[in-house]
Amino acid sequence: MRNIAPPPAKTAFKITMILCSILSVAIPASAQTDHRIVFIKNLIQDAAEAQWTDGASHPLNFNGLSGPYGTVKRGQKIGGINGSEPPVRGKLIFNDNVLADSIDIEFMPTFGRLNSQVRGKYLVLLPKLTRIQLELSYDLFLGSDSERSTADFYVEVYGRDEKEPNSWVKKEEIHKENIEEVRKLATINTVGEENYCHFVYVAVLSQYAGKEIRLDLVSNVPADALAEYKGRWLTARLVGSTFDYRFVPFESKNDPTVSAKTSNRIPSPANLLQGTGTIYEATDSINLTSVRFYPDESLSTAKIKGGDSTERWFGYLSGTMAIDGADAVAKQYVWGEMAFDLKNYTNYSFYSILADNLNSTLLRVDALANIAPAASGTPYLVAKPSSNPYRWDNSYIGFNSSFTTTSGANKYVHAFAHVEDWYQYPPNYNEVAPTDGNRDWAYIRIGYWRSSANHGYDFHAQKASGDSVWNGSSFVSEASPIIECFMPEWAMTYDNQQVLGTGNPSVVKHPTSGYYYMFYARQLDNNPGNGYGNYPPNVGHNWNVICLARAATNDIDDISGYENRTNPWTNYYNNNGVTWTNGRGGESTPIIDEPSNDYRSQPKVHYNAKFNCFMMICRGPDGFYIYTSNGTDVMDWGTYQLLLYDYSGDIQYYNYPSLISSSGEDNYGNDDFQLYYAYRPSSGGSHSMVRRYIEFSGY
């Protein structure tokens, strides 16, 4: 990992929420130098402030009685915005203890009436920021005969009339892109007695920065509706930033006129559902032969030799390797860690190489056991699970973070892995072949692998002093996890068939502190058993949160003495004062812990030299979110911004993000990146790797 020059000294500040009204708005002065993301207003929480009317402009009382056209009231959705935890194998998982505030809309039958609407009008004075966006999500309920709703939830923007300041002039309507097509394809979710489809989009309002506007949340039912319709607004969140970003084709990155759209902008109701450009343009598909379910952790990179004299970039990804069974139709899928080797593209990195060339760079093994990058053949596994049900590494290993260091005259790759145990403790159930036919869960830990000297694909799990592993009959002296949850495996009841524990590690080197910091996801069982008792104090929520650990740089970089030292990783824990607890089972306090309508997982963090801070991209209910730290303070993070949202709003269409910078690294960057991630085109089936170019500006 590179040595990062420390940023210029600056005055630290805490993020300040901006309460926007027609009276006042304030932005922290230091926000302009610290490149922060700024919360502006939550229209869901502030629904009582709005003026609510129906389609005939009759007033509606918020939380009042039904009117002739419909009602609007405060509601709550079980399971949060769109699922309270990430699902296992594409399943929606809902925690009944997690509730999200909503604005519930009920329509009466229209019977041919026009303008059957429920409308909420908000007055907002927007701050002067480079980017302002309104993040929106809503549910449409199915009718009594399970027909899909044809209702439309959208936003109208109004500005004051220059000649008559007390009048408002409509500027635009902003709809979910390709709404007719999306409504037909959206997954139907069932929770209890509710059947609904979920939708997400972002309306960019940057052109109104510094202006007073009126925002109308509009819920509209077509004139031919013969039955009652129901829907709910779940997210209507105004947020801004001192920087902007755009998705564009890589070949157009120097053309300021090209930008992939983030919403349809429709000037009048006459062409209400017409519109072309979408946010999903400019995506490269990366198709790998003989591989499925890839990547299953975030892509990580390292530059090193490959056991020869040529230094080049390697990329690490997890997936399944297809093996023909005795029956030609049957397939057995073996999970493991694979590697791209740019041996034949030494002038390229994973930022610059063409997507079509990546299949030919995957390391494969032939019948003579030769290992080389090739376009076909059996993928070579640089790490794979032990398959021993008693071991902690029995079922799944996926590198999520990697970097190189130099020790003496040699270079080494350090890799940090998400490791899954699919067997209950003791091992009497298995996810792949459950005895009860309904087991789908895993206990997760974090492990540490390191390459041989000057070798990008020869890896070994690293054992610290005192490490030992139970193999079913005895303890053996082998590598143990470096991070393990304070809630042990035996306490997990897996009521919701979840993935519980600690995983998805992302490691960065701090420019000044002398530590490596690891950001990781943690999820607790909301109903632990077997006499576990209560949670420790100040450990945050039980759904997915982002936690922090650290290790002294010398304890990682000095490989000669690693096995003679105890595990160097310790957890951040703040219980009336910051302490650092044992990485294996010590308490942890989240650094990212959103309210009960949100979870966060799959963090990927890099040091951003242009912003002089750390930037995190992670997974949440509606897609990928970004955060920025307060300078280089890894324990002080501001609010978030939705960067890329799921196409149809169905949970986990997008997963495992990784920003690869123009330098080729995934833990250091400037202003432009290739965003690699997993894409699953439907609610079931395999996912595969895609990427798109993203450029930050305006800092």
Side-chain angles (χ1 to χ4, degrees), residues 286 288 294 299-300 302 312-317 338-343 350 357-363 373 456 676 689:
I286 299 166
L288 303 180
Y294 65 93
L299 176 70
S300 62
R312 68 272 192 176
W313 284 99
F314 287 83
Y316 305 103
L317 76 159
M338 305 174 191
F340 294 114
D341 179 356
L342 302 194
K343 181 177 182 179
F350 293 92
N357 292 334
L358 280 170
N359 183 54
S360 66
T361 72
L362 190 69
L363 282 174
Y676 284 78
M689 179 180 281

Side-chain angles (χ1 to χ4, degrees), residues 20-25 40-41 121-129 132 156-162 164-171 205-216 238:
C20 283
S21 67
I22 61 172
L23 298 177
S24 64
V25 65
I40 301 173
K41 188 176 182 66
K121 304 173 184 178
Y122 298 78
L123 299 185
V124 181
L125 177 60
L126 294 176
K128 292 183 178 180
L129 292 166
I132 296 176
E156 293 179 357
V157 183
Y158 291 79
R160 288 199 180 273
D161 190 317
E162 294 181 359
E164 298 183 21
N166 292 327
S167 299
W168 295 93
V169 177
K170 184 176 177 179
K171 298 295 185 180
L205 304 177
S206 305
Q207 67 269 39
Y208 305 111
K211 298 179 181 179
E212 182 190 14
I213 62 172
R214 194 186 91 196
L215 287 175
D216 287 11
L238 269 171

Side-chain angles (χ1 to χ4, degrees), residues 453-491:
N454 306 311
H455 205 304
Y457 59 90
D458 183 30
F459 281 91
H460 307 275
Q462 296 302 301
K463 184 180 75 69
S465 177
D467 281 7
S468 64
V469 174
W470 178 255
N471 66 6
S473 59
S474 63
F475 284 98
V476 293
S477 180
E478 294 184 11
S480 299
I482 57 174
I483 300 291
E484 187 166 357
C485 187
F486 62 80
M487 184 178 288
E489 184 180 12
W490 56 258

Side-chain angles (χ1 to χ4, degrees), residues 51 72 81 154 193 317 353 476 690:
Q51 179 186 358
V72 55
I81 289 175
Y154 59 94
E193 297 181 354
L317 76 159
I353 190 171
V476 293
V690 297

